[in-house]
């Protein structure tokens, strides 16, 4: 019997307990040995819940118990999770976590500790909820050199953008609905400003490129500036808007960004709607691959955590994770990255198009019936720096959205 402990009995923690109890027989068969939850650490008590008999309030009970072989960390946040996880690994216990903040900030260090002790630090659920992506990057795609990862990595923002496209609603109205349905937190900043997706693409990029990608270095732009008028222009273009997180190797340079992007119907991410996530990977041998599924939620995330528990149980004394070096990967400034842009400007096409083309070169005007006092246009391929300089010179830009 393999004894495990769960740190945190919130949404994901209770989901882990539920998954293990519901699929106990098949999980044990796949693990090759019975997995038993000995402790659940939480500050609270849960009277009436069968888990109450396993509740402990002191981490020392967990970390000092030699019977505990695997610890599941689902508390969230950097502290005390980092302190608890590091102590667990140093004491020879494998750790499985869904904590993207922890992995993005301390992943390289914790992986090194696990490797040195022939145990495991696993984090499948930290990126994409229930979508299997860490394990493919760690095993199935190791013959490839990955040169691009692009994903819809946040279910909250994808739900909001989907509803805005479908209903033509304003951001604030859809955000309120998302909060009422439990898809968005009371304080939604981490989601809607892109910070959540930023941490996830930092983790995926670190694994794919083999060096530490600091999330603080990634240019990040959320969806709070997208309006119902932007949606009208997107529809006029036959496109949709998604919050994309992407990293790409171009020659010897590496770019990473999180930002709203206009996608056309031929793009594989175009039809990923609602709270679903998808991750597009390009390798030099494989070519294109896409991973799709539930990106968040209690049971999808818990399922990914428990899959790591099974993996850790099968490899109690052998480290199986790839490691990214703690050496920092220097990202190239996005000012050199190139793409087309959609731009909204004050004025009207008849009076202002000549000046715009004088500055931007050839553009394609976009007119939306009923939208007055402004119009839109799409540019040819420009670098970020070129676009910024031209937009500043024009001086009448209302908004701009990158195109893919």
């Amino acid at each position: 019997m393999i004894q495990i402990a769960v740190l945190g009995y919130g949404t994901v923690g209770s989901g882990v307990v539920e998954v293990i109890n519901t699929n106990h027989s098949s999980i044990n068969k796949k693990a090759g040995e019975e997995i038993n939850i000995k402790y659940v650490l939480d500050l609270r008590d849960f009277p009436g819940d069968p888990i109450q008999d396993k509740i402990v309030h002191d981490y020392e009970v967990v970390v000092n118990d030699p019977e505990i072989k695997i610890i599941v960390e689902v508390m969230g946040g950097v502290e005390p999770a980092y302190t608890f996880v590091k102590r667990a690994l140093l004491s020879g216990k494998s750790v499985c976590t869904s904590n993207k903040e922890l992995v993005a900030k301390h992943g390289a260090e914790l992986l090194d500790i696990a490797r040195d002790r022939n145990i495991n630090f696993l984090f499948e659920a930290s990126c994409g909820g229930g979508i299997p992506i860490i394990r493919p990057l760690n095993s199935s795609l190791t013959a490839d050199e990955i040169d691009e990862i692009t994903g819809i990595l946040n279910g909250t923002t994808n739900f909001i953008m989907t509803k805005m496209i479908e209903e033509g609603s304003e951001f604030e109205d859809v955000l309120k609905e998302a909060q009422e349905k439990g898809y968005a937190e009371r304080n939604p900043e981490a989601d809607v400003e892109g910070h959540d997706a930023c941490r996830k693409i930092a983790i995926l990029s670190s694994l794919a490129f083999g060096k530490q990608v600091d999330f603080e270095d990634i240019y990040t732009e959320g969806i709070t500036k997208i309006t119902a008028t932007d949606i009208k222009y997107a529809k006029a273009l036959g496109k949709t808007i998604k919050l994309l997180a992407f990293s790409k190797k171009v020659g010897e340079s590496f770019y990473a960004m999180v930002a709203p992007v206009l996608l056309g119907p031929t793009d594989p991410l175009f039809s990923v709607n609602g709270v679903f996530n998808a991750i597009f990977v390009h390798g030099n041998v494989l070519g294109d691959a896409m991973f799709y599924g539930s990106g968040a939620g209690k049971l999808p995330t818990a399922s990914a955590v428990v899959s790591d528990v099974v993996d850790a149980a099968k490899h109690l004394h052998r480290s199986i994770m790839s490691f990214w070096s703690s050496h920092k990967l220097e990202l190239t400034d996005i000012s050199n990255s190139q793409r087309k842009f959609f731009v909204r400007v004050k004025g009207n096409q008849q009076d202002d198009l000549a000046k715009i083309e004088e500055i931007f070169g050839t553009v394609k005007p976009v007119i939306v019936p009923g939208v007055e006092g402004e119009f839109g246009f799409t540019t040819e391929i420009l670098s970020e720096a070129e676009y910024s300089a031209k937009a500043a010179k024009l001086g009448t830009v209302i908004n701009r959205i990158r195109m893919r």
Side-chain angles (χ1 to χ4, degrees):
M1 181 182 291
I2 298 173
Q3 302 285 6
I4 74 170
V6 178
L7 310 185
Y9 195 60
T11 300
V12 179
S14 61
V16 168
V17 173
E18 182 178 340
V19 169
I20 289 176
N21 288 340
T22 300
N23 295 337
H24 198 240
S25 178
S26 63
I27 287 170
N28 292 342
K29 185 176 180 180
K30 292 167 186 172
E33 198 167 343
E34 183 178 357
I35 292 174
N36 180 64
I37 300 171
K38 186 173 183 179
Y39 303 119
V40 174
L41 178 75
D42 204 286
L43 294 174
R44 302 161 294 176
D45 286 308
F46 298 88
D49 189 318
I51 204 66
Q52 180 61 39
D53 292 340
K54 300 177 186 289
I55 291 288
V56 294
H57 304 301
D58 184 359
Y59 180 63
E60 299 302 320
V61 174
V62 175
V63 76
N64 292 322
D65 187 336
E67 288 190 349
I68 298 296
K69 302 300 181 186
I70 301 168
I71 288 180
V72 174
E73 186 281 304
V74 283
M75 297 183 298
V78 176
E79 286 293 356
Y82 169 65
T83 299
F84 287 179
V85 167
K86 186 173 181 178
R87 283 192 63 195
L89 293 170
L90 289 171
S91 67
K93 304 178 192 302
S94 289
V95 174
C96 307
T97 183
S98 61
N99 190 336
K100 56 190 166 289
E101 293 93 347
L102 173 68
V103 180
K105 191 168 184 65
H106 297 291
E109 175 194 0
L110 297 173
L111 282 167
D112 279 342
I113 295 171
R115 177 178 55 184
D116 289 345
R117 283 157 179 76
N118 284 320
I119 53 176
N120 284 289
F121 175 61
L122 304 177
F123 43 90
E124 181 64 69
S126 66
C127 298
I131 301 174
I133 182 61
I134 302 296
R135 199 167 282 108
L137 285 176
N138 184 56
S139 56
S140 308
L141 301 177
T142 51
D144 276 72
E145 289 188 11
I146 304 300
D147 53 35
E148 180 183 353
I149 300 176
T150 300
I152 296 170
L153 298 178
N154 182 272
T156 299
T157 52
N158 204 44
F159 171 82
I160 291 172
M161 293 312 308
T162 300
K163 294 287 283 187
M164 289 179 71
I165 286 285
E166 290 176 349
E167 300 175 1
S169 304
E170 291 289 359
F171 168 78
E172 291 294 342
D173 296 331
V174 181
L175 172 60
K176 184 178 180 181
E177 180 183 347
Q179 289 171 320
E180 290 171 351
K181 291 186 174 182
Y183 295 147
E185 301 288 344
R186 183 176 300 176
N187 179 0
E189 181 180 352
D191 293 321
V192 300
E193 295 292 356
H195 305 315
D196 176 82
C198 175
R199 286 175 170 83
K200 291 173 180 176
I201 196 64
I203 294 168
L204 295 175
S205 302
S206 297
L207 272 176
F209 302 140
K211 290 185 178 181
Q212 176 70 25
V213 175
D214 289 341
F215 64 88
E216 296 97 334
D217 295 341
I218 297 175
Y219 175 86
T220 301
E221 186 179 308
I223 62 170
T224 56
K225 294 180 181 178
I226 302 296
T227 67
T229 303
D230 292 315
I231 299 301
K232 291 178 182 178
Y233 281 106
K235 289 181 176 180
L237 287 164
K239 297 180 182 294
T240 191
I241 304 173
K242 301 290 185 184
L243 183 70
L244 296 189
F246 56 91
S247 60
K248 191 171 185 178
K249 181 182 180 184
V250 181
E252 296 304 313
S253 299
F254 295 86
Y255 298 92
M257 180 187 292
V258 177
V261 176
L262 279 159
L263 305 178
T266 59
D267 193 291
L269 298 173
F270 177 86
S271 299
V272 179
N273 292 320
V275 295
F276 282 86
N277 285 190
I279 302 165
F280 171 90
V281 178
H282 184 270
N284 68 333
V285 178
L286 170 71
D288 297 337
M290 194 167 87
F291 302 83
Y292 170 86
S294 297
K298 174 179 177 176
L299 293 181
T301 304
S303 173
V305 174
V306 175
S307 74
D308 277 346
V309 171
V310 171
D311 237 3
K314 291 163 66 176
H315 304 94
L316 282 178
H317 306 293
R318 182 165 69 87
S319 186
I320 59 172
M321 270 298 294
S322 293
F323 301 92
W324 71 70
S325 166
S326 58
H327 292 102
K328 183 175 177 177
L329 181 67
E330 295 294 340
L331 296 176
T332 301
D333 192 289
I334 65 162
S335 62
N336 296 318
S337 63
Q338 296 183 324
R339 59 189 49 82
K340 292 183 178 181
F341 294 84
F342 164 73
V343 188
R344 284 171 56 201
V345 291
K346 298 174 185 176
N348 63 77
Q349 180 181 346
Q350 183 176 348
D351 295 336
D352 300 306
L353 184 59
K355 180 182 178 182
I356 288 169
E357 291 198 319
E358 181 182 323
I359 295 172
F360 278 89
T362 303
V363 300
K364 294 181 180 179
V366 184
I367 305 297
V368 175
V371 175
E372 298 180 352
E374 65 170 81
F375 68 104
F377 63 88
T378 61
T379 72
E380 295 299 310
I381 294 175
L382 300 171
S383 71
E384 292 275 342
E386 288 172 331
Y387 166 77
S388 295
K390 293 176 187 295
K393 186 175 181 180
L394 183 62
T396 58
V397 172
I398 299 170
N399 198 8
R400 64 91 181 89
I401 304 174
R402 296 168 178 88
M403 302 179 71
R404 172 173 145 99

